[in-house]
Amino acid sequence: MSTQKPIRHYLQFSDLSLDEYEYVIERAHVIKRKFKNYEIYHPLVDRTLVMVFDKNSTRTRLSFEAGMHQLGGAAIYLNTRDSQLGRGEPVEDAGQVMSRMCDVLMVRTFGQDIIERFAAHSRVPVINGLTNEHHPCQVFADIFTYYEHRGSIAGKTVAWVGDANNMLYSWLQAAEVFGFHVNVSTPKGYDMDMSLVSTDRYTFFANPSDACEGADLVNTDVWTSMGYEDENAARLKAFDGWIVDSAKMARAKPDALFMHCLPAHRGEEVSADVIDGPQSVVWDEAENRLHIQKALIEYLLLGRLDGK
């Protein structure tokens, strides 16, 4: 008598163990190499990904949709404005129905509670494509990018300069899993929500330049995330001085990398000479959403594979 494999969701970075992350990273290396060599690799023939978007996207939609096709499966795009979710259908009902018609769900929405409710009523794995509180796929791609350029991130120092947003909270969870340290600098009044912090692997700096001192990786994001557009004018004033420029990068290690999850506003959170400069790996970082998510979907649906 066969037993059904328990469903694994990926709703925040802490959902996988270090051993699982290291396995998926190795798979991403293999899958990326196949992609670059034009090798057909279709382990997910006849599998379907449904992508539910509450928030607009470029990289998330492209990477999940293209990735699923490249794995031999199909991807269906649903915007809540064009579905019954936009007319008040309960998330719980949508999760029940959608998961009966596909093999994996990706949800990009506002509150983390929404995706948790999706997952609680889903028969298939649910992946967080972004919520207000967490952005695990992006940070996973960032760590994969660091591995490609510098090797293991264990024991390294990551500087976070800017808003205390979903990216920061996922970086802090990643620090606990991978064993690195985060230097955090956010403007006064835009502090971390400590209910979302479950590690002590960070140090807070009031001065953003000090946060960059000795860093192996300097990271930032837009000052006004989706859903906070009404605060834009106030944020531009409050974040004055938090731009990652060449002076701040000079405080980091000489071989430090710069990352930004994009889209970027040159002249606000990052200067053009940094994001377009030799230490920037933002384009590799963006591309790696494709490869790490392909490996993640493969793992959630097929488990561990040997020698493929």
Side-chain angles (χ1 to χ4, degrees), residues 85-103:
L85 279 168
R87 299 180 63 219
E89 181 174 19
V91 167
E92 292 80 359
D93 293 359
Q96 288 271 12
V97 172
M98 292 178 187
S99 66
R100 287 169 180 254
M101 298 185 184
C102 69
D103 301 279

Side-chain angles (χ1 to χ4, degrees), residues 45-227:
V45 171
D46 205 30
R47 303 292 185 102
T48 303
L49 164 70
V50 168
M51 308 179 296
V52 182
F53 285 86
D54 250 343
K55 290 186 172 185
N56 294 334
S57 168
T58 299
R59 281 150 291 276
T60 297
R61 180 176 177 181
L62 277 172
S63 55
F64 274 104
E65 190 164 343
M68 195 64 183
H69 286 299
Q70 290 163 16
L71 291 173
I76 298 172
Y77 171 83
L78 285 179
N79 190 297
T80 52
R81 294 189 300 271
D82 305 322
S83 69
Q84 296 297 340
L85 279 168
R87 299 180 63 219
E89 181 174 19
V91 167
E92 292 80 359
D93 293 359
Q96 288 271 12
V97 172
M98 292 178 187
S99 66
R100 287 169 180 254
M101 298 185 184
C102 69
D103 301 279
V104 58
L105 279 158
M106 187 285 297
V107 181
R108 182 177 172 93
T109 187
F110 291 90
Q112 182 74 11
D113 65 298
I114 297 172
I115 199 169
E116 298 280 356
R117 287 156 57 201
F118 251 107
H121 293 82
S122 174
R123 294 184 170 198
V124 301
V126 176
I127 298 173
N128 184 346
L130 175 142
T131 62
N132 290 346
E133 294 86 356
H134 300 284
H135 200 358
C137 287
Q138 180 65 62
V139 172
F140 196 178
D142 295 355
I143 289 173
F144 177 55
T145 305
Y146 191 89
Y147 267 67
E148 285 189 319
H149 285 267
R150 296 289 185 266
S152 174
I153 199 169
K156 304 300 183 181
T157 298
V158 175
W160 180 266
V161 177
D163 191 20
N165 63 8
N166 49 11
M167 283 291 295
L168 173 58
Y169 299 124
S170 288
W171 270 110
L172 290 170
Q173 287 192 355
E176 186 67 22
V177 173
F178 280 87
F180 58 87
H181 195 81
V182 184
N183 289 351
V184 179
S185 184
T186 61
K188 189 174 182 180
Y190 295 88
D191 310 297
M192 291 187 291
D193 178 350
M194 297 309 296
S195 70
L196 297 173
V197 178
S198 55
T199 183
D200 59 1
R201 290 181 174 275
Y202 73 91
T203 304
F204 181 80
F205 294 85
N207 185 324
S209 295
D210 293 342
C212 298
E213 182 67 36
D216 299 279
L217 169 61
V218 179
N219 213 320
T220 191
D221 194 3
V222 294
W223 291 339
T224 306
S225 298
M226 282 180 288

